């Protein structure tokens, strides 16, 4: 396929390079002037999307997505697929989808899970909102960039699935870190704690696959001085999106709210900025009630 790819950051660049290596004709653009040996880039987003069958965006937030969509939708050829892989608020995702459909385009919101490692390895999970026809047309690209793509329903539902998933993740990581810190104070060995919890009712992805305690369980960012696989900054972004959606929908999410406030304090007032979101463990371990 001919693909226009807008947003060549830490996630977008390896995704675009994987598509190029798979034989697709990729033309990219990034405001920072990022280039690649794998594919051609253009000086403007409008140039990059012209004649593309599928246009993929990977952008930092909803306002930027709306601005970019305003520029590229008129430049896209009719019947092309607009595939947004950014993580943004549900309202922005639906507004951009409406704009794309009004221009005769197929629109998909498809935020991802799997982080930079998944983007490089082509093992991302895509949570997709939008029409079934567009989803099927984009499926070969999902197969290159990821290990799984799930269509979640109407436009905006991909974003809804992402923020619900990451609200659970933020809450369970905090609980896991609190439990390790409590175990320390009670004199319970961390390995013993892991051996019990990882095979008992406390089992979770945060414990079993991404353990925040160094040297315990499978290798994770905790074993690399909490250099981010998924940063606390990004977790805070997603928890804020979840609370924005909860307020809009009238949903009661007290633990999601508490998780947002804890990550805000960690990132903005303590030493969490630029660290992995599992670095909550040394934060709790070093504090007293």
């Amino acid at each position: 396929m001919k693909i226009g790819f807008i947003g060549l950051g830490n996630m977008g660049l390896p995704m675009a390079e994987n598509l190029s290596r798979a034989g697709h004709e990729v033309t990219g653009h990034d405001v920072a002037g990022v280039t690649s040996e794998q594919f051609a880039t253009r000086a403007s987003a409008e140039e990059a999307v012209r004649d593309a069958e599928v246009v993929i965006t990977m952008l930092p937030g909803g306002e930027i997505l709306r601005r970019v969509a305003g520029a590229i939708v008129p430049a896209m050829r009719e019947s092309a697929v607009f595939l947004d892989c950014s993580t943004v608020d549900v309202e922005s995702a639906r507004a951009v989808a409406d704009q794309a459909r009004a221009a005769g385009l197929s629109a998909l919101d498809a935020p991802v899970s799997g982080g930079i490692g998944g983007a490089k390895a082509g093992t991302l999970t895509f949570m997709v909102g939008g029409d079934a026809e567009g989803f099927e047309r984009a499926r070969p690209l999902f197969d290159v960039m990821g290990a799984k793509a799930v269509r979640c329903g109407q436009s905006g539902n991909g974003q809804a699935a992402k923020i619900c998933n990451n609200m659970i993740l933020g809450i369970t990581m905090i609980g896991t870190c609190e439990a390790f810190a409590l175990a320390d104070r009670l004199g319970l060995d961390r390995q013993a704690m892991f051996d019990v919890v990882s095979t008992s009712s406390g089992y979770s992805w945060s414990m079993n696959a991404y353990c925040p305690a160094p040297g315990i369980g499978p290798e994770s960012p905790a074993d690399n001085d909490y250099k981010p696989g998924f940063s606390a900054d990004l977790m805070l972004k997603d928890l804020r999106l979840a609370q924005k959606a909860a307020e809009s929908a009238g949903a009661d999410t007290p633990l999601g709210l508490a998780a947002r406030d804890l990550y805000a304090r960690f990132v903005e007032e303590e030493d969490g900025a630029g660290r992995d979101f599992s670095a909550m463990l040394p934060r709790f371990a070093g504090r007293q009630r």
Side-chain angles (χ1 to χ4, degrees), residues 184-205:
D184 291 346
R185 297 296 175 93
L186 297 175
L188 174 61
D189 178 75
R190 286 183 172 183
Q191 184 64 56
M193 157 96 166
F194 176 84
D195 291 344
V196 170
V197 174
S198 65
T199 56
S200 300
S201 55
Y203 174 106
S204 71
W205 188 87

Side-chain angles (χ1 to χ4, degrees), residues 123-226:
T123 57
L124 296 169
T125 294
F126 291 84
M127 294 147 272
V128 190
D131 63 273
E133 180 188 357
F135 179 77
E136 291 305 319
R137 288 169 63 191
R139 188 185 290 276
L141 308 185
F142 293 137
D143 290 343
V144 171
M145 297 185 289
K148 188 173 186 178
V150 179
R151 182 171 175 261
C152 302
Q154 66 175 325
S155 293
N157 280 16
Q159 301 296 342
K162 171 71 181 284
I163 61 177
C164 288
N165 178 80
N166 280 18
M167 185 172 72
I168 294 171
L169 179 58
I171 292 167
T172 56
M173 180 55 77
I174 288 171
T176 301
C177 293
E178 287 182 346
F180 270 114
L182 176 59
D184 291 346
R185 297 296 175 93
L186 297 175
L188 174 61
D189 178 75
R190 286 183 172 183
Q191 184 64 56
M193 157 96 166
F194 176 84
D195 291 344
V196 170
V197 174
S198 65
T199 56
S200 300
S201 55
Y203 174 106
S204 71
W205 188 87
S206 295
M207 175 65 76
N208 290 59
Y210 206 90
C211 184
I216 307 294
E219 187 175 354
S220 71
D223 300 306
N224 192 28
D225 197 29
Y226 296 99

